[in-house]
Amino acid sequence: MRGLANDYLRTVISSSINTLGLIATGSLKLRLLRFTRNQERLKRKYGITRETPILSYGPELVQSIHAAAIRRGDRAIYAKTSGSTGKAKEILYTSKRLRALKLTFSDMFMRACYAFTIKRTSLYVFSSFKADTSLTSLLLDESELPNYLSTLQAPYRVQHHSAIQTLVARYGPAAVRLWILAISNPGVLYSTNPSTISTFLDTLKSDWQRSSQLIRDWINNRAKFSADLHKVAQRIESRACDQRLEQIATSDVSLPLSVCAPAVEAYVCWTGGYLKPFLDRLTEHLPACRYKLIPMYSMSTETIETLACFRAQDVAFLPIGEGVVYEFIEENAMDHPDNLLGADQLEPGKLYTMVVSDDYGLRRYQTDDLFLCRRKINTFPDLIFMRRRSLQYSFTGEKLTAEQLSVAFERLRALYPSAMRDKILTCIPSQDLRALPHYRLLLIGDRTTTVANSYDFLAARCDELLCDMNHEYKSKRVSGRLGRIEVETIEFHDFVGAKPNWETQFKPLPLQININPVLI
């Protein structure tokens, strides 16, 4: 009966969210009409003039961020970036700014539910079970159970309860996620990076016995679990959850998500950048014929870069974050104020870096994120994140870039499909004191599917491709200042093992500069 009553309330919540989605869609249209005027107003407010210089993250910007913290007078919280640079950046947040970001996500989610006609809007977020210094962790930080209706709509919010933390320590994250999903039966899954969802589903398939052990113990001897855990379970219970749990507990083989959580009809994740291997993997678990993919807007720790605008199920990404000044520089142009363009000046088919200013210390901050202007919607550019502009490494002047590696990786996938299947590719600099400085090409994934004899061919071919694209790299290889590429395989969990909170911090970049060498 409790599951039936909970699902009735979920239906009421879903109806309310879809209605609010309609209202939020109309409100967004009004914001678009005021965009140009607001941009000029914000420039005046932040003191951005024609002569204001463009800054990268460094001492001057750090000083500006600290000054903003003092000026605002609110308790300063610093979110750390995941570190595509050598050192993590610290970005100012306040409780007010965190609340605004939560509202931004809620606004997007309601509009998406309305546009994609999502019937069951209860949401499961693949958040980390442990707190860290990432923005994601700050947004999801809770020390006690939220109110009853909140846990019905967002069952993931029970995960920081002490009873759940005890389960994680005993059974592991995958088992606890499966238990929550099977009991609550949400309608939508969310993860910023699709790697988090795909890794969870891969784990269910490869290690079903461990992943389902919690549910077996729950079915066989529910009385041994704490009263607090029973309270949590009752909070998120849904119709027929006992039958699903029984089916999972008695199965010797892994069951698909359609059996464990049959109400799931959509998943939300970021689709930009270097995520294609994870997105391809996800479609195997979540086929498009059954599950809707709702692309997530682009957001860095520093700022909201774009917001999703839904027209039916057509999604555009517009630079319209609240309180942010957006300016752009065409790819390959110098970072000089004279080269700055407004959003309405961008042209379809061209690449631009995004420069942002806000009330939290960012003054003409060069994000170094390259966006493709896919099309124009009225005067607004539809921006798709492509890559980091400045992601490069150099031992001796070769300046190997992520873009060059991305091109090489695509060619390797075409040449060696069996060796590349289900693999994430990344490159790391390696300076072993016993050998010449060189780069390692890592094949991240299940070692058993790799064709071992292809390693030497992969290394040689990758070396050739990089020599063709980067003349300095070729010169250093010929002169003997750089050693040859080495290819190694590593399990995904081993690769991210140095970051226990990898769900919030992992980025599948083609070039990993600050990787922990102890792992390799």
Side-chain angles (χ1 to χ4, degrees), residues 144-202:
E144 57 186 37
L145 282 176
N147 67 66
Y148 188 69
L149 292 180
S150 294
T151 51
L152 289 179
Q153 166 58 24
Y156 69 91
R157 293 180 65 181
V158 305
Q159 291 182 176
H160 289 288
H161 191 279
S162 58
I164 298 294
Q165 293 294 310
T166 300
L167 292 183
V168 174
R170 180 176 179 183
Y171 293 98
V176 176
R177 292 195 197 282
L178 181 61
W179 183 80
I180 294 174
L181 286 168
I183 292 177
S184 63
N185 196 22
V188 185
L189 307 179
Y190 169 82
S191 173
T192 303
N193 283 330
S195 57
T196 311
I197 305 178
S198 67
T199 301
F200 165 71
L201 296 173
D202 284 341

Side-chain angles (χ1 to χ4, degrees), residues 222-248:
R222 198 170 301 194
K224 77 174 185 178
F225 291 93
S226 69
D228 282 344
L229 191 63
H230 282 271
K231 177 183 176 182
V232 169
Q234 291 170 358
R235 280 281 199 100
I236 63 175
E237 191 174 327
S238 62
R239 281 180 293 182
C241 65
D242 284 338
Q243 291 93 312
R244 290 192 297 276
L245 292 169
E246 183 74 34
Q247 189 172 1
I248 293 169

Side-chain angles (χ1 to χ4, degrees), residues 53-65:
I54 299 167
L55 300 176
S56 296
Y57 190 84
E60 188 174 349
L61 194 72
V62 169
Q63 184 178 1
S64 178
I65 291 172

Side-chain angles (χ1 to χ4, degrees), residues 170-329:
R170 180 176 179 183
Y171 293 98
V176 176
R177 292 195 197 282
L178 181 61
W179 183 80
I180 294 174
L181 286 168
I183 292 177
S184 63
N185 196 22
V188 185
L189 307 179
Y190 169 82
S191 173
T192 303
N193 283 330
S195 57
T196 311
I197 305 178
S198 67
T199 301
F200 165 71
L201 296 173
D202 284 341
T203 300
L204 294 189
K205 189 173 182 179
S206 63
D207 195 3
W208 176 253
Q209 290 304 308
R210 175 172 167 76
S211 299
S212 58
Q213 186 62 51
L214 168 57
I215 291 177
R216 282 196 297 276
D217 290 350
W218 179 262
I219 287 294
N220 294 332
N221 190 4
R222 198 170 301 194
K224 77 174 185 178
F225 291 93
S226 69
D228 282 344
L229 191 63
H230 282 271
K231 177 183 176 182
V232 169
Q234 291 170 358
R235 280 281 199 100
I236 63 175
E237 191 174 327
S238 62
R239 281 180 293 182
C241 65
D242 284 338
Q243 291 93 312
R244 290 192 297 276
L245 292 169
E246 183 74 34
Q247 189 172 1
I248 293 169
T250 56
S251 177
D252 293 328
V253 297
S254 63
L255 298 176
L257 187 68
S258 58
V259 174
C260 301
V264 175
E265 59 178 302
Y267 60 103
V268 184
C269 66
W270 191 46
T271 58
Y274 314 103
L275 297 172
K276 189 176 185 302
F278 292 111
L279 294 168
D280 291 344
R281 185 66 176 160
L282 259 183
T283 57
E284 295 182 20
H285 293 294
L286 306 174
C289 59
R290 177 184 174 99
Y291 299 97
K292 301 171 183 176
L293 168 59
I294 303 175
M296 176 68 175
Y297 55 85
S298 289
M299 180 173 176
S300 65
T301 302
E302 292 89 334
T303 192
I304 295 172
E305 296 182 311
T306 63
L307 285 179
C309 180
F310 304 101
R311 297 184 299 175
Q313 295 187 18
D314 177 38
V315 186
F317 300 98
L318 312 182
I320 54 172
E322 193 72 32
V324 181
V325 174
Y326 295 96
E327 297 173 293
F328 300 87
I329 295 178

Side-chain angles (χ1 to χ4, degrees), residues 401-414:
T401 69
E403 182 180 5
Q404 292 165 351
L405 287 164
S406 294
V407 173
F409 291 170
E410 287 301 310
R411 183 61 178 153
L412 291 176
R413 288 185 186 281

